[in-house]
């Protein structure tokens, strides 16, 4: 196919080695080209994969390859053939202790059901393989839109009404966006792919957001893979009672956030894999999609997830846009961060709060989080006036809890907690509690041991 020819040519020029730059553009009204078949998405030249002896389709982008398949047994026997010489293979998350064997150019992996992993060769972060098993999701009765396996669809902007269901079968690829406004009980389900890569050039940013429900209640997004959106991938705005479960978000461009929770209440995000070249998770109150987005945020739970934060953005972020009165009761629990790559713009980090507007951000919990590679800051909490700010006053940050957090490999990153002071305004974040924070096997008991800079902030307690 023509698309494959272009991809092969770019690879020969080593374009995938190029560091991305921010190239903003306007939202497109139509894609650059329409998908004619599922084969228009390039396949990997580096990896071949068999699952329980059956050959699988391995998809390719400039920065990663991936294979998704349906769990059928308690364990999957995964055989990976690598078409280039390599010296060392690493499987993450390391805490999962996935057994594997190497023989020549073949890697055999015994993979427990539902366990997503990354495979890295010779410490090359630009060409990993993501192995993504998923639970089979049957087609619901009376589904409104059904996209069938083996077919490609071009839907443009698919707008949903209350009680409508989208079902994307395993093996189907749907190009386009899904949007709803004031629609309740909307469901987007299946095991197929929602694709944005044909809506933007490979290195362009700031474009179409793939799933945007606004002012809805009882929203469910489950099972699907979102691939190569030109901007934020999943963006519930001013919604209540949202479930995002067993979803893969595979973004590669700058501004390609994984999930942005905007002005929402009662959101559960569970058992997902997010690879983003910006924030993996970002919690905000902002008017970008709709004025209703400047609504208080509360009761958010993110648990049992696997994260890869590429060069830009943060892994688990609250901010920058915090244009509401209160952001509270946010819990990040039992998650693995395999990489938080180096950004270099002074804002990147793993566990971050950037309160750049008026919100009172409080009672935030980070618990049982394992970090394998933190090239940027570990903890980065700031009250600040930034280029994203709109409110005239700064909000408070207090009662932030870190429990059973561990960095196991890589560098020992710095951390920052910083308040805000101007002539007529002082805002001192306070109440930070560190319970069993361990860096490279050593429990830290003070800001100094944590390599932390503390400015205009109070009440840091370690135990």
């Amino acid at each position: 196919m023509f698309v494959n020819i272009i991809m092969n040519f770019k690879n020969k020029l080593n374009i995938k080695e190029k560091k991305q730059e921010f190239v903003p553009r306007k939202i497109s009204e139509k894609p650059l080209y329409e998908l004619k078949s599922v084969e228009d998405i390039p396949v990997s030249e580096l990896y071949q994969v068999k699952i329980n002896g059956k050959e699988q389709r391995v998809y390719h982008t400039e920065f990663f390859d991936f294979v998704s398949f349906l769990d059928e047994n308690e364990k999957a026997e995964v055989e990976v053939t690598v078409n280039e010489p390599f010296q060392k293979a690493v499987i993450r998350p390391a805490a999962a202790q996935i057994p594997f064997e190497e023989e020549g150019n073949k890697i055999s992996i015994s993979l427990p059901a539902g366990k997503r992993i990354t495979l890295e060769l010779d410490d090359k972060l630009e060409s990993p393989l993501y192995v993504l098993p998923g639970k089979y999701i049957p087609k619901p009765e009376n589904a409104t839109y059904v996209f069938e396996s083996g077919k490609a669809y071009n839907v443009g902007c698919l707008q949903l009404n209350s009680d409508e269901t989208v079902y994307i079968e395993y093996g189907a690829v749907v190009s386009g966006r899904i949007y709803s406004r004031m629609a309740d009980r909307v469901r987007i389900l299946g095991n197929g792919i929602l694709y944005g890569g044909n809506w933007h050039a490979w290195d362009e940013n700031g474009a179409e957001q793939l799933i945007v429900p606004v002012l809805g209640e009882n929203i469910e997004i489950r099972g699907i893979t979102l691939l190569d959106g030109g901007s934020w991938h999943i963006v519930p705005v001013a919604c209540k009672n949202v479930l995002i479960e067993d979803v893969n978000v595979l973004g590669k461009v700058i501004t390609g956030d994984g999930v942005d929770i905007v002005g929402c209440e009662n959101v559960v995000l569970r058992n997902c894999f997010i690879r983003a070249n910006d924030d993996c998770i970002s919690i905000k109150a902002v008017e970008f999609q709709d004025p209703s987005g400047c609504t208080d945020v509360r009761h958010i739970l993110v648990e049992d997830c696997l994260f890869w934060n590429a060069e830009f953005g943060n892994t688990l972020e609250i901010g920058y846009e915090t244009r509401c009165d209160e952001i509270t009761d946010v819990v990040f629990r039992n998650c693995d961060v395999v990489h938080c790559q180096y950004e270099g713009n002074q804002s990147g980090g793993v566990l971050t709060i950037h309160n750049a507007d008026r919100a009172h951000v409080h009672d935030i919990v980070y618990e049982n989080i394992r970090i394998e590679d933190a090239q940027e800051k570990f903890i980065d909490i700031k009250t600040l006036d930034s280029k994203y700010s709109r409110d005239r006053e700064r909000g408070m940050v207090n009662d932030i809890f870190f429990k059973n957090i561990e960095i196991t490999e890589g560098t020992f990153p710095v951390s920052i907690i910083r308040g805000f002071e101007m002539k007529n305004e002082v805002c001192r974040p306070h109440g930070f509690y560190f319970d069993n924070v361990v860096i490279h096997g050593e429990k830290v008991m003070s800001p100094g041991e944590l390599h932390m800079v503390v400015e205009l902030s109070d009440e840091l307690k370690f135990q």
Side-chain angles (χ1 to χ4, degrees), residues 363-381:
D363 290 285
I364 312 299
V365 177
Y366 305 90
E367 182 176 7
N368 296 335
I369 296 176
R370 297 159 295 277
I371 302 159
E372 298 182 24
D373 176 31
Q375 299 177 22
E376 269 285 356
K377 292 179 287 296
F378 170 28
I379 294 167
D380 187 29
I381 297 176

Side-chain angles (χ1 to χ4, degrees), residues 284-288 294 319-324 354-359 382-395 420 425:
K284 301 175 179 287
V286 66
E287 71 286 347
F288 291 161
C294 294
Y320 273 83
E321 299 87 359
T322 55
R323 294 194 271 281
C324 65
H354 297 118
N355 193 1
D357 287 293
R358 73 178 189 275
K382 299 188 182 85
T383 297
L384 72 165
D385 190 5
S386 78
K387 64 181 180 180
Y388 306 109
S389 299
R390 298 290 182 273
D391 291 339
R392 298 186 66 179
E393 63 182 37
R394 302 308 97 203
F420 180 81
E425 184 179 6

Side-chain angles (χ1 to χ4, degrees), residues 52 101 163 196 242 254 302 304 351 355 391 406 460:
N52 297 327
E101 296 180 355
D163 298 301
V242 178
I254 305 170
V302 176
D304 302 329
L351 311 179
N355 193 1
D391 291 339
E406 184 175 13
L460 281 71

Side-chain angles (χ1 to χ4, degrees), residues 52-225:
N52 297 327
K54 184 178 179 181
E55 196 79 32
Q56 303 291 312
R57 185 176 182 85
V58 183
Y59 292 101
H60 171 75
T61 78
E62 293 83 1
F63 299 99
F64 55 84
D65 294 344
F66 76 96
V67 57
S68 62
F69 62 95
L70 300 179
D71 277 337
E72 297 177 349
N73 305 299
E74 292 183 1
K75 187 173 290 187
E77 298 303 327
V78 181
E79 181 183 277
V80 180
T81 301
V82 183
N83 296 324
E84 291 181 3
F86 68 94
Q87 300 297 317
K88 181 182 70 171
V90 174
I91 289 179
R92 303 183 189 277
Q97 298 182 333
I98 303 298
F100 70 97
E101 296 180 355
E102 297 179 48
E103 184 176 349
N105 66 337
K106 287 185 172 24
I107 302 169
S108 299
I109 307 166
S110 222
L111 191 63
K115 196 66 185 180
R116 298 176 176 92
I117 59 170
T118 71
L119 171 64
E120 302 161 26
L121 304 177
D122 298 332
D123 299 321
K124 294 179 180 178
L125 300 188
E126 72 277 6
S127 57
L129 173 68
Y130 305 146
V131 182
L132 308 175
K135 298 177 183 177
Y136 172 66
I137 298 178
K139 181 173 70 175
E141 293 184 6
N142 303 319
T144 316
Y145 300 94
V146 177
F147 300 103
E148 297 177 350
S149 180
K151 297 181 180 179
Y153 298 84
N154 299 274
V155 299
C157 182
L158 178 61
Q159 184 158 346
L160 302 182
N161 300 310
S162 291
D163 298 301
E164 291 193 330
T165 297
V166 172
Y167 180 68
I168 307 175
E169 288 186 349
Y170 177 72
V173 178
V174 178
S175 164
R177 303 173 268 172
I178 300 176
Y179 174 83
S180 65
R181 191 174 193 280
M182 299 185 73
D184 300 333
R185 299 171 300 280
V186 164
R187 297 193 297 168
I188 303 166
L189 312 173
N191 300 104
I193 293 174
L194 181 63
Y195 184 60
N198 58 326
W199 285 74
H200 63 92
W202 78 277
D203 60 349
E204 284 185 332
N205 319 275
E208 299 73 29
Q209 299 174 354
L210 291 187
I211 298 179
V212 185
V214 180
L215 283 166
E217 294 192 19
N218 301 314
I219 308 297
E220 182 180 0
I221 303 167
R222 188 156 54 90
I224 65 171
T225 294

Side-chain angles (χ1 to χ4, degrees), residues 172-450:
V173 178
V174 178
S175 164
R177 303 173 268 172
I178 300 176
Y179 174 83
S180 65
R181 191 174 193 280
M182 299 185 73
D184 300 333
R185 299 171 300 280
V186 164
R187 297 193 297 168
I188 303 166
L189 312 173
N191 300 104
I193 293 174
L194 181 63
Y195 184 60
N198 58 326
W199 285 74
H200 63 92
W202 78 277
D203 60 349
E204 284 185 332
N205 319 275
E208 299 73 29
Q209 299 174 354
L210 291 187
I211 298 179
V212 185
V214 180
L215 283 166
E217 294 192 19
N218 301 314
I219 308 297
E220 182 180 0
I221 303 167
R222 188 156 54 90
I224 65 171
T225 294
L226 293 91
L227 175 61
D228 195 11
S231 183
W232 304 354
H233 286 75
I234 300 178
V235 195
V237 179
C239 291
K240 294 183 179 180
N241 306 324
V242 178
L243 174 64
I244 303 168
E245 187 170 30
D246 293 324
V247 166
N248 303 308
V249 180
L250 306 177
K252 65 182 183 64
V253 299
I254 305 170
T255 73
D257 291 13
V259 178
D260 287 75
I261 298 169
V262 179
C264 290
E265 184 175 334
N266 297 332
V267 178
V268 174
L269 190 149
R270 178 184 294 128
N271 195 34
C272 295
F273 171 56
I274 298 177
R275 188 277 186 195
N277 197 3
D278 212 304
D279 301 336
C280 289
I281 302 287
S282 189
I283 295 172
K284 301 175 179 287
V286 66
E287 71 286 347
F288 291 161
Q289 299 82 9
D290 192 271
S292 63
C294 294
T295 304
D296 290 353
V297 180
R298 54 175 53 90
H299 311 319
I300 311 297
L301 173 62
V302 176
E303 66 177 355
D304 302 329
C305 291
L306 180 64
F307 298 108
W308 182 316
N309 173 217
E311 292 170 349
F312 293 86
N314 310 275
T315 311
L316 303 177
E317 160 80 332
I318 297 174
Y320 273 83
E321 299 87 359
T322 55
R323 294 194 271 281
C324 65
D325 293 332
E326 189 176 40
I327 297 175
T328 186
D329 188 19
V330 178
V331 178
F332 300 98
R333 182 171 66 199
N334 194 35
C335 294
D336 289 279
V337 178
V338 295
H339 292 289
C340 178
Q341 293 180 239
Y342 182 71
E343 179 186 77
N345 293 330
Q346 301 184 29
S347 67
V350 184
L351 311 179
T352 61
I353 300 173
H354 297 118
N355 193 1
D357 287 293
R358 73 178 189 275
H360 180 194
V361 180
H362 65 98
D363 290 285
I364 312 299
V365 177
Y366 305 90
E367 182 176 7
N368 296 335
I369 296 176
R370 297 159 295 277
I371 302 159
E372 298 182 24
D373 176 31
Q375 299 177 22
E376 269 285 356
K377 292 179 287 296
F378 170 28
I379 294 167
D380 187 29
I381 297 176
K382 299 188 182 85
T383 297
L384 72 165
D385 190 5
S386 78
K387 64 181 180 180
Y388 306 109
S389 299
R390 298 290 182 273
D391 291 339
R392 298 186 66 179
E393 63 182 37
R394 302 308 97 203
M396 181 58 68
V397 177
N398 65 273
D399 292 337
I400 312 299
F401 301 86
F402 304 91
K403 183 176 182 179
N404 299 332
I405 313 295
E406 184 175 13
I407 297 178
T408 60
E409 302 177 33
T411 60
F412 192 143
V414 299
S415 292
I416 298 174
I417 296 179
R418 177 179 296 151
F420 180 81
E421 182 175 11
M422 294 294 286
K423 182 176 181 180
N424 297 316
E425 184 179 6
V426 177
C427 187
R428 297 184 71 98
H430 59 276
F432 299 93
Y433 302 91
F434 302 86
D435 181 358
N436 194 36
V437 175
V438 178
I439 313 294
H440 297 167
E442 297 291 333
K443 184 175 178 179
V444 297
M445 294 298 292
S446 69
E449 292 180 11
L450 192 51

